[in-house]
């Protein structure tokens, strides 16, 4: 079986797909809001704000907490506070989802490659993956600021493909943004039901899964087709 998947790749979204990061992201956002004299946003609310980058998450956080849009200067200061706190506390609670790492290791043992394509800033994505001790698994970590555009633009997805050298690949995500990005790059997308969403475009995905043991079967079939 060794090397039967040579020339293929698994491209992963990060937050809500590969790693459950919501508690640490919520803590960083609420730190920034608290420093501005605003009330915290419940973690359950933050869950649905993840996936479009920290700035948009903070913009929505201001709307939820203050009932208004943040002024430009407020948002800039909130971003600095958010990033400083998050960088110092990036993996207090964040952990890979069950069986995700074992699944990746299984595919790599068969010759496949893996990469991360996220709307997190590349520096933060790298720090998280390194802190979790799994960076050797990935040929590339592509963030929102790595290429000319962020997902759902296909540019970061295509850059991941280039870095892996894959001829055939699948994208694994948890949101409409991932589905759109994969579709624009002509890749099948498998979406995680346990992620942060939304997944209103699930009908356009190649499949859905609720656990990485299910995902393994779906991905294996797609890569060998």
């Amino acid at each position: 079986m060794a090397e039967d998947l040579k020339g293929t790749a698994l491209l992963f979204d990060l937050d809500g797909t590969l790693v459950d990061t919501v508690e640490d992201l919520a803590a960083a956002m609420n730190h920034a809001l608290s420093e501005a004299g605003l009330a915290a946003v419940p973690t359950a609310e933050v869950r649905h704000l993840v996936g479009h980058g920290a700035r948009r998450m903070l913009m929505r956080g201001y709307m939820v907490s203050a009932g208004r849009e943040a002024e430009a200067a407020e948002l800039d200061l909130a971003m600095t506070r958010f990033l400083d706190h998050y960088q110092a506390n990036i993996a207090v609670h964040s952990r890979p989802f069950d069986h995700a790492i074992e699944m990746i290791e299984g595919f790599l043992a068969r010759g496949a490659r893996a990469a991360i394509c996220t709307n997190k800033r590349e520096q933060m994505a790298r720090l998280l993956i390194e802190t979790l001790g799994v960076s050797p698994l990935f040929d590339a970590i592509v963030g929102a600021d790595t290429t000319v555009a962020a997902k759902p633009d296909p540019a970061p997805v295509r850059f991941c493909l280039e870095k892996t050298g894959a001829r055939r690949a699948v994208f694994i995500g948890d949101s409409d943004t991932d589905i759109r990005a994969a579709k624009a790059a002509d890749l099948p997308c498998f979406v995680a039901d346990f992620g942060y969403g939304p997944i209103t475009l699930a009908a356009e995905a190649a499949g859905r899964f609720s656990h990485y043991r299910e995902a393994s079967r779906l991905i294996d079939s797609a890569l060998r087709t």
Side-chain angles (χ1 to χ4, degrees), residues 203-220:
E204 298 180 29
R208 297 173 68 164
F209 62 95
S210 300
H211 193 283
Y212 270 102
R213 287 190 179 88
E214 296 174 45
S216 183
R217 294 191 295 271
L218 294 169
I219 294 165
D220 181 73

Side-chain angles (χ1 to χ4, degrees), residues 106-118:
F107 278 105
L108 296 189
R110 296 168 58 192
R113 303 283 187 152
I116 290 170
C117 185
T118 176

Side-chain angles (χ1 to χ4, degrees), residues 139-211:
D139 284 356
I141 298 175
V142 176
D145 55 343
T146 305
T147 62
V148 295
K151 296 179 298 182
D153 192 283
V157 182
R158 290 171 178 155
F159 190 66
C160 276
L161 281 172
E162 180 184 329
K163 289 294 184 180
T164 62
R167 299 184 303 275
R168 193 164 67 257
V170 298
F171 197 97
I172 301 101
D174 74 323
S175 70
D176 290 345
T177 298
D178 296 319
I179 295 169
R180 288 190 178 105
K183 187 174 182 179
D186 295 320
L187 295 183
C189 183
F190 296 100
V191 290
D193 284 338
F194 50 75
Y196 305 153
I199 45 174
T200 63
L201 301 177
E204 298 180 29
R208 297 173 68 164
F209 62 95
S210 300
H211 193 283

Side-chain angles (χ1 to χ4, degrees), residues 29-146:
M29 186 172 81
N30 284 327
H31 168 77
L33 293 174
S34 176
E35 289 292 299
L38 299 174
V41 175
T43 300
E45 290 276 343
V46 178
R47 183 180 182 86
H48 303 294
L49 305 179
V50 180
H52 299 286
R55 195 172 189 88
R56 286 187 64 180
M57 187 165 68
L58 282 166
M59 289 169 65
R60 180 59 183 160
Y62 253 84
M63 285 297 298
V64 171
S65 184
R68 63 174 177 82
E69 292 185 1
E71 296 179 4
E74 289 179 312
L75 192 58
D76 288 342
L77 181 56
M79 273 293 294
T80 298
R81 289 167 169 167
F82 173 94
L83 292 171
D84 287 348
H85 186 279
Y86 189 53
Q87 184 168 344
N89 301 275
I90 200 163
V92 175
H93 301 287
S94 296
R95 296 293 182 272
F97 285 102
D98 289 346
H99 201 62
I101 300 306
E102 293 88 341
M103 185 196 78
I104 294 170
E105 290 172 337
F107 278 105
L108 296 189
R110 296 168 58 192
R113 303 283 187 152
I116 290 170
C117 185
T118 176
N119 275 351
K120 212 181 199 72
R121 292 186 181 190
E122 182 182 334
Q123 179 187 357
M124 290 297 181
R126 288 188 178 278
L127 178 60
L128 174 59
I129 293 304
E130 288 167 5
T131 303
L132 293 174
V134 295
S135 58
L137 299 178
F138 302 99
D139 284 356
I141 298 175
V142 176
D145 55 343
T146 305

